[in-house]
Amino acid sequence: MRIPEQMIAIEIENGVLNPAKRTIPTPSANQVLIKVAAAGVNRPDVMQRKGLYPPPPGASDIPGLEVAGTIQALDVNIHRLNEGDRVCALVTGGGYAEYCLASAALCLPVPESLSFTQAAALPETFFTVWSNIFDRAQLQPGETLLVHGGASGIGTTAIQLAKAFNAKVIVTAGSKTKCEFCLQLGADAAINYKEQDFVDEIKRLTDNQGVDVILDMIGGDYFPRNLKCMADDARLVQIAIQNGPKAEINLLPVMLKRLTITGSTLRARDDAFKAAIASKLLEKVWPLLASGQIKPVIHSTFALTDAASAHQLMESSRHIGKIILTV
């Protein structure tokens, strides 16, 4: 395939997103070059723009952690993929561009029923949710999951996956509209945290038993409140800290209820770790996407060159589901 020398990419300059011309990168060992049709927008991109989440060593300085498009070139030693394949991929950076490098091991086929725009909404949230809820927290059928931020990209994914694997789901969200959407998506209960105390509501909804797993993106003052929501042997997984990294902890309930407190970040993990998640997604989740049992929730799309507006929407928290850039 003929590949031009330059591409449009979105650079970060003093906290501002600007379109710029960049040289199109060349695949190295175990890499593919994807002609990007769509790219997902995620809160880590906003943090990177603000200088709070620098890319890991060796990663592109261009923001963007997930893309969907067509393979244009690939390392000669890669045999399971071919030029022209429709894929979506988890990347460590570089997604906000017309072309993007990706590890071959982190490319997944675009389900036939999905568009590139829909496929670009998959990698970051599905990798994150699977790794944290099912691998780390070991959510089991019949258990109850509490998701903070149920209307977010992570939240809408967590609702669908947990329900698909026969768990009960309770979410928190910041408006009546968001709560209603989460219920329509399959959540068993939705708590408007601006009007209700989620600790009291969890106790009411679970007959004072608490939940088995909590997926939390808030941190800060949510941490001690989460402990009050946890059942015996429950697991709390921290994946972001929108309310800050510090909290006061009462260790007594941790001991008495045998609680597990864990957390993770995905971007800096090596390809082998992420490839193991990709393999599980392909086996267990991709058939659900292909059948339409679950699907990505997309709120808005923006042109690549209008990435700044996409970030404004992300920071407003008015959206439900994913925000996507289209090329």
Side-chain angles (χ1 to χ4, degrees):
M1 294 186 180
R2 183 183 179 280
I3 301 171
E5 294 183 359
Q6 289 192 315
M7 65 179 181
I8 298 297
I10 303 302
E11 295 181 337
I12 300 172
E13 185 176 357
N14 298 320
V16 178
L17 298 177
N18 292 313
K21 286 190 175 182
R22 287 283 189 101
T23 300
I24 293 176
T26 301
S28 56
N30 302 312
Q31 286 187 323
V32 303
L33 177 68
I34 298 172
K35 184 177 182 181
V36 178
V41 176
N42 296 282
R43 285 199 181 272
D45 306 340
V46 175
M47 294 172 60
Q48 179 176 335
R49 193 198 82 229
K50 293 181 175 181
L52 302 175
Y53 191 45
S60 171
D61 64 314
I62 298 168
L65 302 177
E66 57 186 347
V67 298
T70 307
I71 293 178
Q72 299 291 292
L74 65 168
D75 174 30
V76 294
N77 296 311
I78 297 170
H79 302 295
R80 74 174 188 89
L81 297 170
N82 297 287
E83 289 184 6
D85 284 357
R86 300 170 73 247
V87 296
C88 59
L90 183 73
V91 295
T92 54
Y96 289 17
E98 292 178 321
Y99 290 82
C100 179
L101 292 177
S103 167
L106 305 184
C107 291
L108 288 165
V110 175
E112 288 187 10
S113 59
L114 299 188
S115 66
F116 280 131
T117 298
Q118 291 172 306
L122 300 176
E124 174 69 12
T125 52
F126 278 75
F127 273 74
T128 298
V129 169
W130 186 271
S131 177
N132 288 287
I133 291 180
F134 295 99
D135 288 344
R136 297 194 69 80
Q138 291 289 302
L139 180 69
Q140 299 298 311
E143 289 191 321
T144 300
L145 167 70
L146 169 61
V147 180
H148 291 301
S152 66
I154 292 287
T156 54
T157 300
I159 292 169
Q160 294 186 82
L161 283 182
K163 294 303 295 183
F165 291 93
N166 300 310
K168 183 177 180 180
V169 181
I170 302 172
V171 303
T172 62
S175 72
K176 180 180 178 181
T177 299
K178 289 182 176 182
C179 286
E180 289 176 348
F181 185 91
C182 291
L183 292 172
Q184 293 172 3
L185 198 59
D188 295 278
I191 302 165
N192 185 341
Y193 65 82
K194 293 183 178 179
E195 297 180 354
Q196 300 165 293
D197 185 307
F198 72 78
V199 176
D200 292 341
E201 286 299 301
I202 290 296
K203 290 179 179 178
R204 181 183 67 81
L205 290 166
T206 63
D207 293 326
N208 289 313
Q209 296 301 302
V211 300
D212 302 292
V213 174
I214 300 177
L215 184 68
D216 184 38
M217 298 167 265
I218 310 301
D221 59 345
Y222 268 45
F223 186 81
R225 299 169 70 192
N226 281 332
L227 298 185
K228 296 177 181 179
C229 296
M230 297 172 75
D232 291 349
D233 298 300
R235 293 83 74 195
L236 166 63
V237 189
Q238 199 74 47
I239 60 169
I241 44 175
Q242 293 179 30
N243 279 8
K246 296 183 179 180
E248 184 174 306
I249 180 172
N250 180 356
L251 292 172
L252 188 59
V254 177
M255 298 161 58
L256 294 177
K257 294 196 287 185
R258 303 173 302 279
L259 304 180
T260 298
I261 299 167
T262 184
S264 74
T265 58
L266 185 60
R267 188 180 189 184
R269 299 300 298 266
D270 62 29
D271 283 357
F273 176 83
K274 297 173 187 175
I277 304 171
S279 178
K280 291 177 183 176
L281 289 173
L282 187 61
E283 175 191 356
K284 298 179 182 297
V285 177
W286 251 236
L288 302 177
L289 287 163
S291 69
Q293 183 176 341
I294 60 175
K295 59 184 179 181
V297 176
I298 296 174
H299 183 276
S300 300
T301 61
F302 293 84
L304 173 66
T305 52
D306 197 20
S309 295
H311 275 221
Q312 288 176 358
L313 176 59
M314 173 69 71
E315 291 184 88
S316 77
S317 293
R318 295 192 309 269
H319 61 293
I320 294 175
K322 296 283 293 189
I323 301 168
I324 304 294
L325 301 177
T326 58
V327 181

